[in-house]
Amino acid sequence: MHTETHTGLESPKGIWWKPAHKSEKVWVGIAFAWCMVLFAMMPLWHWKGGQNPSGIRRRVEPAAFFARTQEFIQQYQVDTDRGMPIVAPPPGSDIYLTGMSFQWTPILKLQKGAEYILHLSALDVNHGFSLYPINVNFQVIPGYDYGLRITPNASGDFRIICNEFCGIGHHTMVGRVIVEDAPATGTPGTGGTP
Amino acid sequence: MTAPAATFRTCPVTTRRIHDQAESLVKINAVVSVVALLIGAIAAVLIVLTRWQAVHLLSATWFYRLLGVHGMSMLIFFIVFFEMAVLYFASTALINARLVAPKLAWFSFLLMLGGAVLVEAMMWGGKADVLFTSYVPLRASPAYYLGIILFAVGALIVTGIFFANLVVAKREKRYEGSLPLVVYGAVTAAIITVITLLHGAAIYIPTFLWSLGLMHVDPQVYRMVWWGLGHSSQQINVAAMVAIWYMLGGLTIGAVVLNEKISRSAFVLYVLFISMASAHHLLVDPGMGPAWKVVNTSYFMYMAVLASMIHGFTVPAGMELGMRLRGYTNGMFDWLRRAPWHDPGFSSLVLSVVVFGFVGGITGVTIGTEQINIIVHNTLRVPGHFHATVVSGTAMAFMGATYYLIPLVFQKRVAFWRMAQWQPYIFAGGMFIFTLSMTFAGSFGVPRRHWDITFSQAPFDVPFSPVVDLVLAVVAVGGLLAATGAFMFVAIAVASVFFGKPLGEITKGTAMVGVPQGITHPPVHAADVDARNAALHAPGRGIMGPAPGTIVLVFVFLAAFILYFFVNWKILSFVWKIG
Amino acid sequence: MPDPVKPDEAAEQVPLGQRLFDNVFLLLGLGLLVVFVLYTGWGLWEILTLPQATLP
């Protein structure tokens, strides 16, 4: 007898290290092959895909990151909305966004189709960067600089929802990102938005 | 060999020797577990009634506070106390063995209980509004962390007693050959418990000292080590749940072990690789690089997924073969049609397998893919996934096991028997609606752990589609239905254990109110079982083999899996370029 | 294909695989080793060796 007729509640007597029926072996083989496909997709997407969480990852003092954000605001501020600075950095530049309880600063004004390096960090506790409505999510951790190369592919008025619990005011923490169509004559990578 | 100073009874149903001290510990752990379930379920109702924006019941403070209570009561106290009962049961009653250190066992139970009470007191008292994950530098009162440490130390001692029971049972020759497969599953759960609790110690002891101002804890290190506890604890559930699947299959319909080598290999793969999936929570974190993320999130090339896909085949195939060996041989699915669907142990088993596999498993593997996680992290898709695994998978299986523990261990009849027969369908049905609608809401970017997605107090409006409101109402309906199922279960368990009719004499073949069919009509294979088994395995039956119905079912599953996985890649490809 | 003849189990040597699988403490050790090396150890190394940000 190569098969068992006992339940899982009974001790198998003697030797049970025996080959399985063909049907079981085939399923294990198919499952294994599928697991390899599942695995292969990740390196493949790093190589060919456009969305990866790799980024430029660094350690940073929260205060230093916040100071750099302030400097960035002074450099490129174009307007304010409800007391929050709106910043329009030139395409291709490093841009900074700080999360703190309970706000995202500053408001970013970007150009469609241009690449930026978006640096994310937190001043106090963990926050969650969730870009609405396109649903892109990253963890924002105090003490860590997460630099992501982003290229907005549509213009519009976007929101940043905080989706990591950061205290009792967590649900009031909303930021804003504005993406405008690139100027018709502008060549990306030269100068800022007026 | 004689067991010194231990008193035993012989189970009239299974003829196993049951040590009274072990049995008391199984009982007390199960009872505390149900109390935790009740607390968690009350919190659950208040939470879903708050996230249903039209009702929006709780204040923000109480919403977040009860969300923490819900997570801790359900994911830790309900499930771990029940698992302690499983460990005692598997290492004593199932192999005719004794409990080696009753005094230490009671001491560890008191540690766990004391820790749990302290944690609950801190949470309800507003001294620990840090949610289940308590991410540093959010700060709770030191007593909160201390409570968790006490609980974890108690649980670690129980795990040690479990291994000691196995060693002594072997030395005293309480069982012959290898451990039964169900106990092997419990061993798997116990090993993952050790992994989990060591991570717990590694993070909660420093965090306790940090809360006293004695040391620094890095937020990213905290997240990484904490999830070695937080996620691995849910892998204990997976292993314990699969062990219970094999147990309920055997008890309810005489499911057989198709092949010991294959099923045990799957458990060994769990032991080796499943805990690496703690990385699922860290895929869009800045601390670790892509190589670490890819290797860990994939459980070393999806070896634990392979294991689950093996169990997903062998559990139903063992059930099918068991039924065929009892004479239900017609066609593909006669064995399934003629199964005891009114036995709550059996219906719980099937619902647990189906919802865990089709919803929990498929969504879990997909959203745990490094890049796909970008469109998932911290949205409602995450709790949508894990309620399908932990609630309609693990909790459902534990409930099914309880319907058999009540007569076999507590020696009582199951109270409210008609209600008990309905309970699995209501609970799993509610959870099915809840998890699917939550997953759907999450794909719109609705955040998890959020009091108010109308953002009424936020500086900028967030105009969610009206569809989202509707979907969140469906989430609430599913959640309330599932909570109703949970309350039914609590009522049945409490009434049976404390006020239930004694089991009394069982006449085989006579149905009794309050006694599951697997006990009154123990599944017996046909007299010529070996000949039938050989015929079912005969090469002439071809590739479909002894369980053709199951082959059809697993390919339906695989097709759903492939479809869901690639649809998610397609959706990901539409978002901004990020790298 | 499996052996159709019922083997004399008492006389047969227990296969290595079965002995390894039955060794609960070996599994415990390997389980701890894999996760503490690949997840926790490697993870800590990743975090602790991150370079300081230049904030360009």
Side-chain angles (χ1 to χ4, degrees):
Chain A
M1 240 7 260
H2 60 274
T3 59
E4 329 275 346
T5 54
H6 63 271
T7 72
L9 292 160
E10 291 146 65
S11 284
K13 310 284 185 290
I15 289 165
W16 47 258
W17 189 268
K18 295 173 188 169
H21 184 270
K22 196 166 52 176
S23 62
E24 207 172 348
K25 282 187 193 162
V26 167
W27 173 250
V28 174
I30 289 171
F32 181 81
W34 174 236
C35 288
M36 293 305 109
V37 173
L38 291 173
F39 183 78
M41 278 306 289
M42 290 188 285
L44 189 68
W45 204 263
H46 273 286
W47 181 41
K48 289 281 187 192
Q51 297 79 16
N52 287 289
S54 316
I56 303 157
R57 298 166 303 100
R58 296 284 187 269
R59 194 173 269 286
V60 72
E61 276 301 315
F65 189 89
F66 188 54
R68 181 68 185 89
T69 308
Q70 301 285 24
E71 189 190 325
F72 165 69
I73 292 169
Q74 277 171 13
Q75 209 171 351
Y76 299 115
Q77 180 167 358
V78 290
D79 204 350
T80 56
D81 177 13
R82 272 155 270 202
M84 184 70 73
I86 301 180
V87 176
S93 59
D94 285 89
I95 60 179
Y96 294 86
L97 185 73
T98 298
M100 64 188 108
S101 304
F102 301 101
Q103 60 176 358
W104 296 101
T105 188
I107 296 170
L108 297 168
K109 193 178 228 180
L110 309 176
Q111 271 182 39
K112 182 183 157 186
E115 188 187 273
Y116 302 85
I117 301 176
L118 170 63
H119 292 263
L120 297 170
S121 193
L123 188 58
D124 37 35
V125 295
N126 275 262
H127 296 284
F129 173 91
S130 179
L131 191 65
Y132 177 86
I134 57 168
N135 196 11
V136 158
N137 306 278
F138 288 94
Q139 188 76 20
V140 183
I141 303 179
Y144 292 84
D145 168 20
Y146 206 167
L148 296 158
R149 292 174 198 84
I150 57 162
T151 312
N153 62 6
S155 54
D157 194 355
F158 299 93
R159 297 288 178 266
I160 307 165
I161 299 170
C162 177
N163 70 3
E164 184 60 79
F165 175 72
C166 55
I168 299 301
H170 162 55
H171 48 273
T172 65
M173 183 166 168
V174 177
R176 192 174 167 207
V177 176
I178 304 154
V179 178
E180 293 186 326
D181 288 323
T185 54
T187 41
T190 56
T193 317
Chain B
M1 290 261 182
T2 52
T7 42
F8 290 85
R9 71 178 176 89
T10 301
C11 175
V13 181
T14 62
T15 70
R16 282 186 163 80
R17 295 163 78 247
I18 299 180
H19 181 191
D20 59 351
Q21 288 283 346
E23 193 168 56
S24 303
L25 279 152
V26 172
K27 287 181 184 174
I28 192 81
N29 278 288
V31 167
V32 175
S33 158
V34 171
V35 173
L37 176 67
L38 179 62
I39 296 170
I42 291 168
V45 168
L46 299 172
I47 292 164
V48 292
L49 287 178
T50 307
R51 287 221 66 158
W52 187 357
Q53 288 285 347
V55 180
H56 211 55
L57 183 67
L58 298 173
S59 68
T61 305
W62 274 97
F63 171 78
Y64 294 121
R65 190 167 292 164
L66 290 186
L67 197 53
V69 168
H70 174 68
M72 218 55 197
S73 304
M74 293 300 211
L75 287 174
I76 298 295
F77 301 140
F78 158 57
I79 273 174
V80 176
F81 275 114
F82 199 92
E83 272 152 3
M84 298 297 114
V86 169
L87 291 188
Y88 283 125
F89 186 69
S91 65
T92 60
L94 284 183
I95 50 174
N96 301 305
R98 68 186 170 92
L99 173 66
V100 294
K103 285 209 176 98
L104 186 62
W106 282 104
F107 171 71
S108 59
F109 169 74
L110 290 177
L111 268 185
M112 290 175 70
L113 185 64
V117 169
L118 188 55
V119 167
E120 291 281 350
M122 288 297 117
M123 293 190 117
W124 285 93
K127 298 279 172 48
D129 290 333
V130 290
L131 299 195
F132 176 55
T133 45
S134 59
Y135 289 135
V136 165
L138 285 178
R139 192 184 292 265
S141 158
Y144 172 78
Y145 305 111
L146 183 64
I148 295 172
I149 293 168
L150 292 178
F151 179 84
V153 169
L156 197 55
I157 297 173
V158 177
T159 315
I161 294 171
F162 169 83
F163 286 113
N165 287 345
L166 295 183
V167 169
V168 171
K170 183 144 196 87
R171 197 177 342 140
E172 294 179 353
K173 296 196 169 43
R174 290 296 166 204
Y175 64 95
E176 220 186 302
S178 302
L179 289 168
L181 184 62
V182 172
V183 180
Y184 204 69
V187 168
T188 305
I191 292 173
I192 302 170
T193 306
V194 175
I195 292 171
T196 300
L197 295 174
L198 290 179
H199 281 96
I203 200 58
Y204 272 113
I205 293 170
T207 304
F208 173 60
L209 297 174
W210 165 80
S211 71
L212 294 169
L214 297 175
M215 68 179 283
H216 172 74
V217 175
D218 181 88
Q220 178 73 78
V221 172
Y222 178 93
R223 280 174 59 78
M224 197 271 293
V225 183
W226 190 88
W227 279 112
L229 162 86
H231 199 90
S232 305
S233 58
Q234 310 316 311
Q235 312 292 14
I236 309 171
N237 300 340
V238 172
M241 173 190 73
V242 175
I244 287 177
W245 287 352
Y246 284 112
M247 180 180 89
L248 285 175
L251 285 173
T252 56
I253 56 168
V256 298
V257 180
L258 220 55
N259 180 291
E260 289 278 358
K261 183 174 78 172
I262 298 282
S263 291
R264 283 169 200 251
S265 301
F267 278 124
V268 170
L269 288 175
Y270 278 166
V271 166
L272 295 179
F273 301 116
I274 203 168
S275 305
M276 295 167 71
S278 309
H280 285 178
H281 302 266
L282 312 169
L283 295 174
V284 292
D285 272 28
M288 288 73 57
W292 182 91
K293 287 176 180 175
V294 168
V295 169
N296 279 282
T297 200
S298 69
Y299 326 74
F300 204 79
M301 302 181 88
Y302 289 103
M303 287 301 110
V305 174
L306 176 63
S308 289
M309 288 177 77
I310 290 173
H311 289 307
F313 176 83
T314 59
V315 169
M319 289 160 64
E320 176 173 357
L321 182 54
M323 288 294 278
R324 287 181 187 275
L325 293 174
R326 290 168 60 206
Y328 301 101
T329 50
N330 290 340
M332 281 281 193
F333 295 113
D334 195 44
W335 60 278
L336 206 51
R337 258 195 306 277
R338 295 176 62 183
W341 293 97
H342 54 273
D343 174 349
F346 178 78
S347 53
S348 298
L349 162 64
V350 174
L351 293 166
S352 172
V353 172
V354 170
V355 185
F356 178 88
F358 275 86
V359 186
I362 291 177
T363 60
V365 175
T366 303
I367 70 181
T369 305
E370 190 201 9
Q371 294 93 345
I372 291 174
N373 196 253
I374 293 173
I375 55 170
V376 176
H377 181 68
N378 277 351
T379 68
L380 274 183
R381 288 182 72 179
V382 177
H385 150 70
F386 72 69
H387 282 82
T389 54
V390 175
V391 188
S392 30
T394 304
M396 185 81 270
F398 286 3
M399 288 171 178
T402 305
Y403 291 121
Y404 275 77
L405 287 182
I406 288 170
L408 293 177
V409 172
F410 290 91
Q411 297 169 71
K412 296 281 175 68
R413 295 197 194 190
V414 178
F416 309 130
W417 182 236
R418 287 294 292 171
M419 190 160 93
Q421 291 176 313
W422 278 101
Q423 188 272 340
Y425 296 98
I426 293 171
F427 186 69
M431 260 303 137
F432 188 70
I433 297 169
F434 179 83
T435 54
L436 285 185
S437 52
M438 210 178 215
T439 299
F440 190 56
S443 62
F444 286 90
V446 177
R448 66 185 290 200
R449 298 175 151 187
H450 203 279
W451 177 64
D452 177 25
I453 65 145
T454 65
F455 295 90
S456 54
Q457 298 161 19
F460 309 107
D461 63 318
V462 181
F464 273 110
S465 153
V467 175
V468 167
D469 281 332
L470 182 68
V471 175
L472 288 177
V474 176
V475 170
V477 170
L480 293 175
L481 196 58
T484 307
F487 290 129
M488 288 163 71
F489 172 77
V490 172
I492 292 162
V494 170
S496 310
V497 167
F498 293 106
F499 314 103
K501 268 205 285 189
L503 184 58
E505 199 71 33
I506 288 172
T507 317
K508 297 270 161 78
T510 311
M512 286 166 76
V513 172
V515 185
Q517 175 175 322
I519 294 172
T520 54
H521 301 69
V524 181
H525 296 146
D528 55 342
V529 56
D530 286 340
R532 282 168 186 256
N533 194 34
L536 284 165
H537 283 82
R541 282 178 65 88
I543 192 71
M544 298 301 267
T550 301
I551 302 235
V552 174
L553 296 177
V554 292
F555 277 97
V556 171
F557 170 79
L558 185 62
F561 197 164
I562 293 171
L563 181 71
Y564 189 78
F565 182 68
F566 284 112
V567 163
N568 273 276
W569 282 108
K570 190 73 198 166
I571 295 170
L572 176 69
S573 72
F574 294 140
V575 308
W576 292 9
K577 272 208 162 53
I578 304 161
Chain C
M1 278 307 290
D3 184 2
V5 185
K6 187 169 182 168
D8 185 2
E9 292 173 342
E12 209 172 22
Q13 171 83 36
V14 177
L16 179 66
Q18 179 166 341
R19 276 182 287 149
L20 293 178
F21 273 34
D22 276 348
N23 190 337
V24 169
F25 292 100
L26 175 72
L27 294 180
L28 174 64
L30 288 176
L32 288 170
L33 184 74
V34 170
V35 75
F36 275 98
V37 170
L38 287 179
Y39 177 83
T40 326
W42 185 8
L44 276 177
W45 186 80
E46 287 269 315
I47 296 170
L48 299 178
T49 55
L50 276 187
Q52 200 68 30
T54 54
L55 302 176

